[in-house]
Amino acid sequence: MIKIKHSGAKYSSIVGIGEHIRTISAQSGTEFLMLNRGINMVENIDIRPIVGFVDFNSAEIQVYPPVKGRIALREAINKAFFKGEAQVGDIFITQGGVGALDLIFKTIDTQQVWLPAYYWGAYLNILQINKQKYGFYPNLDFLAQNANSFRGMTVLVCDPNNPTGLKFDDEMVLGAIRKLHSAGAVIVFDSPYRKLFFDWSTDFFYQRLLEFENLIIAESFSKSVGLSGQRIGFLHCSNKPFMDELAINLLYTTNGINNFAQILVEKILCEEVGIEAARNFRSNTVINIAQNIEYLIKRDLLANHVYQGQKPLGIFVIVRLSHQKLLENHIGSVPLNFFTKLHGVDLSQYARICVSVSHEKFTRFFNKI
Ligand SMILES: Cc1ncc(COP(=O)(O)O)c(C=O)c1O
């Protein structure tokens, strides 16, 4: 008999939805559009020209990586994300965004963690595993107006948001962060969709976040360069005692992040062929996403109570179609009640879909509805 420490966290229900759709697709021999998934499906990033730069027969690949990450990658991240203005010592490589978030909540001592009212379900499970209390805030205005009540607490910001795809104005986000930070709150900025949409050379947002010592950035290369299979991301924070303790947790949970993934991302950030591969991946992906969103707007299929006239920007949107109705039309989705505890609307009539898929395929399926 093995006795178990149950955390109360749940195995992902979204995985269950995917398995169900694959089963009915195989049984019926019908193609399904898997918009339940959270990945970019327009195209893969073409890494073939980059792989030539990697020497597989080297100690660099074959022996343990440095615990906090390879210096060359941390420097490349500093250049690409912070215009060289961060300290490399404040950047640690992690096992994707999930790895970063888990380490953050393993390390931080905080009264309560506040999540957006529409949240990515994994947040709750990671918090539960790490025995952190949580609550929900309605919007950025609320944070800015009630900043003082978040003293001693941690606020998570996800912008563009998963599941809604809502992107707030950068100045509004910074304004809310500034107020929270002055009030004594810690901010976790987990926005892995941002860098898919913004031009890296002209986006100075991360650089502007460097003024906040008690702000932790969790980032991922899963979405912005489409490498979710490589399980790689990073975190940044300039609070030294926090990072020192986090480094110990990083060592004993990972013993370093896969060297191949690190070198691959380094080449994507530094070599001209890598930069171009990432640029092509992003521009084709973003064009198709925009076309799909325009299509949904024209057909009045977006959940108006969520957007209230604002145009989504992320890889997800909430549509006013039920999971069941979409399934009948061979489209996978996730019911909205997986992402919020709000009441007031009949959540069963709404679902989250991923819009990062070829526009031709998207319209082929949606035109039947
Ligand atoms: C909001 C958000 N944060 C973080 C992640 C983490 O992604 P990964 O662990 O693949 O890097 C995801 C993935 O779906 C996400 O939606």
Side-chain angles (χ1 to χ4, degrees), residues 96-98 101 120 123 158 162 190 192-193 220 222-223 228 231:
V98 164
L101 290 164
W120 179 43
Y123 290 148
C158 179
N162 175 4
D190 176 55
Y193 302 96
S220 164
S222 293
K223 318 291 171 171
S228 55
R231 309 307 310 129

Side-chain angles (χ1 to χ4, degrees), residues 15-220:
V15 173
I17 289 178
E19 284 165 2
H20 175 65
I21 295 173
R22 267 189 293 277
T23 309
I24 52 177
S25 173
Q27 280 167 355
S28 61
T30 323
E31 187 193 3
F32 275 68
L33 189 59
M34 304 283 275
L35 303 187
N36 45 300
R37 302 197 297 173
I39 49 170
N40 290 303
M41 292 174 280
V42 175
E43 64 182 30
N44 289 338
I45 182 169
D46 185 359
I47 61 168
R48 284 169 300 183
I50 305 157
V51 173
F53 285 86
V54 183
D55 180 5
F56 287 90
N57 208 23
S58 63
E60 281 209 306
I61 287 277
Q62 294 177 0
V63 304
Y64 288 118
V67 171
K68 297 174 186 174
R70 293 168 54 79
I71 290 288
L73 175 59
R74 294 158 77 195
E75 278 169 354
I77 289 171
N78 189 14
K79 228 171 117 195
F81 285 74
F82 301 98
K83 309 289 179 286
E85 290 191 7
Q87 301 297 320
V88 168
D90 296 341
I91 298 169
F92 293 174
I93 308 304
T94 61
Q95 217 158 50
V98 164
L101 290 164
D102 185 53
L103 284 166
I104 292 166
F105 294 117
K106 194 174 250 134
T107 309
I108 196 166
D109 183 359
T110 190
Q111 279 174 45
Q112 191 160 351
V113 179
W114 292 88
L115 302 173
Y118 290 103
Y119 56 85
W120 179 43
Y123 290 148
L124 290 198
N125 291 305
I126 296 170
L127 290 172
Q128 210 151 354
I129 288 167
N130 288 295
K131 303 189 172 31
Q132 296 278 7
K133 269 176 68 183
Y134 55 79
F136 304 95
Y137 62 86
N139 50 45
L140 278 183
D141 277 348
F142 182 88
L143 292 179
Q145 281 162 23
N146 299 282
N148 284 333
S149 52
F150 292 97
R151 186 184 172 76
M153 311 214 194
T154 300
V155 177
L156 190 142
V157 176
C158 179
D159 176 78
N161 172 276
N162 175 4
T164 63
L166 276 172
K167 166 81 194 79
F168 291 101
D169 175 64
D170 277 355
E171 297 309 318
M172 266 179 73
V173 177
L174 274 172
I177 287 176
R178 186 163 289 116
K179 286 194 172 149
L180 288 165
H181 196 263
S182 321
V186 173
I187 299 101
V188 174
F189 189 79
D190 176 55
S191 303
Y193 302 96
R194 178 182 180 96
K195 289 291 184 184
L196 180 63
F197 297 95
F198 285 70
D199 179 344
W200 292 29
S201 59
T202 54
D203 178 21
F204 298 100
F205 193 77
Y206 276 83
Q207 203 184 345
R208 295 176 75 189
L209 292 180
L210 292 175
E211 75 173 91
F212 306 109
E213 189 195 344
N214 301 325
L215 179 144
I216 310 156
I217 296 171
E219 249 297 348
S220 164

